[in-house]
């Protein structure tokens, strides 16, 4: 199975997950020099897939102690399915160069901004339509996103 496939996943691993999030984790595992760019951009805060976020946070924690290795990251994961996902993503056949890595991170930043812009558009439309129930739901979603994405 292709570890970047949106519909499927690595054998025995968690399904779903946004393809770009899987690519970023794979890049972090295969190109440790890029981990700092992910950290500096606070990008893990915007991950939607909770399993990929756990792996990414684990990579960031591992990087604080020195060199990142998939074996060490797997050692920090208790769930066997997460370990299999780390293994699959660390072995994905991607050709990484610095420009390609930076392009991937910029695409992720852009997609996060687009999601935020879409939410703001939906809030404005609910205000114009006078749909207070929808407006309240959307404002709560916006509040939750801001809370979830606040730097720690």
């Amino acid at each position: 199975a292709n570890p970047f496939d949106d519909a499927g996943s690595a054998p025995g691993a968690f399904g779903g997950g946004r393809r770009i999030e899987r690519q970023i984790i794979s890049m972090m595992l295969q190109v440790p020099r890029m981990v700092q760019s992910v950290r500096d951009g606070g990008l893990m805060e915007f991950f939607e897939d909770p399993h990929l976020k756990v792996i990414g946070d684990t990579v960031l924690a591992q990087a604080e102690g020195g060199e990142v290795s998939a074996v060490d990251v797997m050692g920090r994961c208790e769930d066997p399915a997460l370990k299999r996902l780390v293994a699959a993503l660390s072995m994905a056949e991607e050709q990484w160069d610095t420009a390609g890595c930076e392009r991937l991170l910029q695409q992720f930043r852009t997609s996060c901004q687009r999601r935020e812009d879409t939410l703001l558009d939906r809030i404005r439309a609910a205000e114009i339509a006078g749909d207070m129930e929808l407006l309240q739901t959307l404002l709560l979603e916006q509040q939750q996103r801001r809370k979830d994405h606040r730097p720690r």
Side-chain angles (χ1 to χ4, degrees), residues 14-129:
F14 298 101
R18 294 180 57 217
R19 177 180 167 89
I20 195 165
E21 290 178 5
R22 287 173 168 263
Q23 288 177 306
I24 290 171
I25 297 299
S26 180
M27 177 197 69
M28 291 170 69
L29 290 165
Q30 294 182 35
V31 190
R33 73 180 182 277
M34 296 306 298
V35 170
Q36 192 61 44
S37 294
V38 173
R39 181 190 313 281
D40 291 348
L43 299 183
M44 291 311 307
E45 299 299 322
F46 295 95
F47 269 49
E48 292 182 340
D49 183 299
H51 304 110
L52 294 173
K53 183 167 178 17
V54 165
I55 294 170
D57 287 340
T58 303
V59 172
L60 292 178
Q62 178 68 31
E64 287 179 8
E67 191 64 26
V68 173
S69 85
V71 172
D72 291 334
V73 172
M74 287 177 3
R76 289 179 175 219
C77 294
E78 293 183 21
D79 188 319
L82 273 182
K83 289 178 191 239
R84 287 190 297 273
L85 183 56
V86 170
L89 293 173
S90 70
M91 294 184 292
E93 294 183 25
E94 283 283 319
Q95 297 299 316
W96 297 110
D97 61 27
T98 302
C101 292
E102 291 296 339
R103 198 169 31 256
L104 177 66
L105 297 178
Q106 185 55 46
Q107 285 175 332
F108 184 68
R109 286 185 206 100
T110 301
S111 80
C112 291
Q113 183 61 50
R114 209 171 334 176
R115 274 188 305 212
E116 187 63 26
D117 291 347
T118 299
L119 178 60
L120 290 174
D121 289 343
R122 291 175 60 210
I123 289 171
R124 286 186 200 107
E127 285 176 329
I128 291 168

Side-chain angles (χ1 to χ4, degrees), residues 123-140:
I123 289 171
R124 286 186 200 107
E127 285 176 329
I128 291 168
D131 187 339
M132 292 305 158
E133 187 176 330
L134 177 60
L135 179 59
Q136 184 176 11
T137 301
L138 294 172
L139 289 172
L140 286 172

